[in-house]
Amino acid sequence: MVNAVHLRFKATDRSYFAILKKEIHSLAAGAGFTAKKLGEIDIVVAEIVSNLAKYATDGELLVKLVEEDHQQGIELISIDSGPGMADVPKMMADGHSTANTLGHGLGSIKRLSNKFQIYSLKGWGTILHCAIFNKALPANAKPKNIEIRSLIVPKPGETACGDGFHYKETKEYIKLFLGDGLGHGPDAQKAVQAAIEAFRICPDHSPLENLRFIHREVKRTRGLVGTVVVFDLKEKKWSICGIGNILTKLQGVAFSKSYLAYNGIIGLNIPNTMKDQEIAYEKGQHLIMCSDGIKSRWDLLRYPNVLRYDLTVIAAALLKDFARNNDDMSIAACKINI
């Protein structure tokens, strides 16, 4: 499955809010949301940007169409560097306000959303993640054993994105690929899209063989860097192979292990002597992959309890603190509970 690029809106200027709301409404309308759901999405977006205007510093809103259980949805991620919340449950209660308003904002967002989470730290800021689906998701659904998320945004000022992510699931394997086309813009986007198409049809289960297959298929592009990760569901182990500056980490509750990729450029020159690195599965592991648009000196252990949250919240926290903002930026995350 290909995870699309998030639209990224700065929410620091009230004069821009009308345009922001109109663009998100148009995106949802084009995806076939009902009139009732479009109205609810409009309310949620209005409440989010209102909160960002009242309380936030450097607020922004990320938006992407998603699909889950065959239902069309829209994902909204609010990120800010404001004062944060010392007591999230108290702030969620209807009638509570710190700005002399009715104080119904967060409660309204939660009621109108099919998915809703807030992660906030005092003095650090707040991430609000919600998703609204055209039809209700199955009630009492069991937690999924496999969770995969991505957050991909183009370089500020660009519409084409040279970063891309794709994953495949079978009964035996989970296969993930994160690629970063050289440079940015349309040519970088063509390179990573060609790599994703090659990855999609490659039958091999070895990350190394996947990279060799991609290398052969993208030689007419400007080239890219990329990492392939395969999880063997039967053997319960990870296999990883990467070329270029994609950072890959396995993070647990009390440990962190980074994978070192090989030097080279996929489509131009790759080493002859490469091999897959195998890592045993441990309960609680989170696999995180980042392009070089994200600074590499991060550690999830600095975020209290964040591993309990949706992977999208984790990716948003990394984007908030470590985005370079001078290149395309991508974060892909996977959690397996078996």
Side-chain angles (χ1 to χ4, degrees), residues 158-188:
E158 297 276 359
T159 54
C161 185
D163 285 7
F165 174 67
H166 187 90
Y167 69 90
K168 301 187 288 186
E169 293 185 51
T170 70
K171 293 181 179 180
E172 299 174 324
Y173 298 95
I174 308 298
K175 303 178 183 181
L176 308 101
F177 170 73
L178 182 66
D180 177 2
L182 297 187
H184 50 83
D187 288 337

Side-chain angles (χ1 to χ4, degrees), residues 7 9 18-30 38 41-42 45 49 61-63 65 74-76:
L7 299 178
F9 301 97
I19 298 173
L20 180 156
K21 296 172 188 176
K22 184 177 180 180
E23 288 196 32
I24 296 174
H25 180 97
S26 178
L27 177 68
L38 286 173
I41 292 169
D42 289 344
V45 172
V49 296
L61 183 61
L62 306 179
V63 185
L65 294 175
I74 188 167
E75 176 180 80
L76 304 166

Side-chain angles (χ1 to χ4, degrees), residues 99-113:
N100 296 318
T101 64
L102 292 177
H104 291 179
L106 293 177
S108 297
I109 296 170
K110 183 176 182 179
R111 283 190 295 274
L112 294 174
S113 300

Side-chain angles (χ1 to χ4, degrees), residues 217-262:
E217 296 296 312
V218 303
K219 286 192 172 182
R220 294 185 179 181
T221 72
R222 65 163 53 177
L224 69 151
V225 298
T227 292
V228 175
V229 179
V230 176
F231 185 79
D232 188 319
L233 290 164
K234 182 179 179 181
E235 299 294 331
K236 295 185 180 180
K237 66 180 181 181
W238 302 92
S239 297
I240 304 173
C241 191
I243 298 173
N245 48 358
I246 299 289
L247 174 65
T248 303
K249 278 190 181 183
L250 278 168
Q251 181 100 43
V253 176
F255 66 89
S256 176
K257 181 177 179 61
S258 298
Y259 167 80
L260 296 177
Y262 292 92

